[in-house]
Amino acid sequence: YKAVQQNLIDIVAEDKSSYEIWEHLMSIDYHLQDFDNLYAHSKEAVELFPNMLMVYQYYVVAAYLKKEFREVVEAVDYASMLSLDNQQVMIDLLSMQGDAYHALKEYHKADSVYEYILFKDGDSESVLNNYSYNLAVRGENLAKALEMSTHLVELNPSNATYLDTHAWVLYKNGKLDEALKFMNDVIENDTTNAVYYDHRGDIKCSLGKKDEAVSDWEKALEFDPENNAIEEKIRKKSLK
């Protein structure tokens, strides 16, 4: 695939006019998980082919992964008009826009996008997950967050990420014992995720189980050794 990628790069360097060549190149970039090249190629391609939805799909994904969140927001504004006849593509793009707004700390705009998506599709798992988790992290509208995360795990009761989100929302709602139960189930099925151990440590600490909390935080640090916030909690044996 690398040889094919280089060949296509050489072709578009000589002649930029063929949309099919650009699409093939971007699909190879994506297949190789070469997001630096995907970002560069898709950014150029949206200028060359501004009415081709597939180009924007690649561009939005690459820009998001490169943390170019303002570019994501602006690209989706345009691409959503191209995707009016394809609701799933529109929802996927808007979901990334909502996440980008949240990353930019433009929370009102993020929530508005999430609300619009849920109006169109109340069972959108990615939005139910991200929206409820973001509200929990911000400590806002926690009753709504719990309603969404509960619906999420009803839709998909075996997804560890969703169960972690639900546990975190329960924790933020003060339902500590229930949150711990969910986190135990999550870690039973995924024993190598730093976030899960960190979350369970926070829950245990809030339940007064400080030694167990420290043990979980130490486990989290094994998988995320550069995390200074976890190191600080271990040092203080406290969340604060």
Side-chain angles (χ1 to χ4, degrees):
Y1 281 100
K2 292 291 292 183
V4 174
Q5 181 192 44
Q6 187 57 54
N7 185 46
L8 292 170
I9 290 172
D10 293 341
I11 291 172
V12 298
E14 293 292 326
D15 180 3
K16 301 182 184 298
S17 64
S18 172
Y19 169 73
E20 288 74 16
I21 296 295
W22 281 97
E23 185 177 323
H24 191 191
L25 174 57
M26 290 182 292
S27 72
I28 293 291
D29 291 339
Y30 187 83
H31 177 81
L32 291 171
Q33 303 288 281
D34 183 352
F35 296 116
D36 288 336
N37 264 319
L38 181 62
Y39 174 68
H41 294 148
S42 61
K43 188 170 186 175
E44 185 172 2
V46 293
E47 298 295 329
L48 295 167
F49 310 101
N51 296 317
M52 303 303 290
L53 179 59
M54 179 65 75
V55 178
Y56 278 93
Q57 289 177 264
Y58 282 126
Y59 178 43
V60 168
V61 168
Y64 188 87
L65 292 171
K66 295 286 289 182
K67 300 187 185 303
E68 298 291 349
F69 299 122
R70 185 61 61 192
E71 291 182 33
V72 171
V73 165
E74 293 171 356
V76 173
D77 276 342
Y78 188 86
S80 60
M81 293 186 289
L82 300 176
S83 62
L84 291 174
D85 295 330
N86 190 327
Q87 177 167 299
Q88 188 54 57
V89 171
M90 180 189 289
I91 286 173
D92 290 343
L93 289 169
L94 287 172
S95 178
M96 297 194 78
Q97 186 184 56
D99 295 345
Y101 272 131
H102 189 270
L104 291 166
K105 295 183 168 53
E106 297 180 18
Y107 301 132
H108 177 71
K109 291 179 180 178
D111 294 353
S112 294
V113 173
Y114 292 144
E115 290 287 352
Y116 177 77
I117 296 170
L118 292 176
F119 173 74
K120 290 287 189 180
D121 178 10
D123 292 337
S124 174
E125 292 181 7
S126 64
V127 175
L128 289 169
N129 180 69
N130 293 354
Y131 191 10
S132 60
Y133 187 81
N134 291 345
L135 287 176
V137 169
R138 284 151 47 192
E140 297 175 9
N141 210 344
L142 294 175
K144 181 178 181 63
L146 183 56
E147 180 183 331
M148 289 191 292
S149 69
T150 299
H151 183 47
L152 177 65
V153 296
E154 288 170 350
L155 291 170
N156 194 335
S158 60
N159 184 297
T161 298
Y162 298 166
L163 293 173
D164 172 62
T165 291
H166 186 49
W168 198 243
V169 173
L170 286 165
Y171 168 64
K172 289 291 189 172
N173 273 275
K175 300 178 182 294
L176 302 183
D177 290 325
E178 195 174 351
L180 181 57
K181 176 183 177 299
F182 273 94
M183 282 313 309
N184 286 339
D185 291 342
V186 170
I187 290 174
E188 185 176 326
N189 290 290
D190 186 344
T191 60
T192 61
N193 190 303
V195 172
Y196 299 162
Y197 285 107
D198 187 28
H199 282 175
R200 191 170 70 173
D202 288 4
I203 294 166
K204 285 180 175 178
C205 186
S206 296
L207 284 165
K209 302 178 179 181
K210 292 198 173 184
D211 290 340
E212 292 183 30
V214 169
S215 178
D216 274 337
W217 291 330
E218 288 174 342
K219 195 72 175 176
L221 201 60
E222 288 180 25
F223 298 111
D224 186 9
E226 303 300 318
N227 194 314
N228 294 328
I230 296 175
E231 280 190 333
E232 187 70 5
K233 286 188 284 191
I234 293 170
R235 186 179 69 81
K236 292 183 175 180
K237 296 186 176 182
S238 171
L239 290 168
K240 298 179 180 179

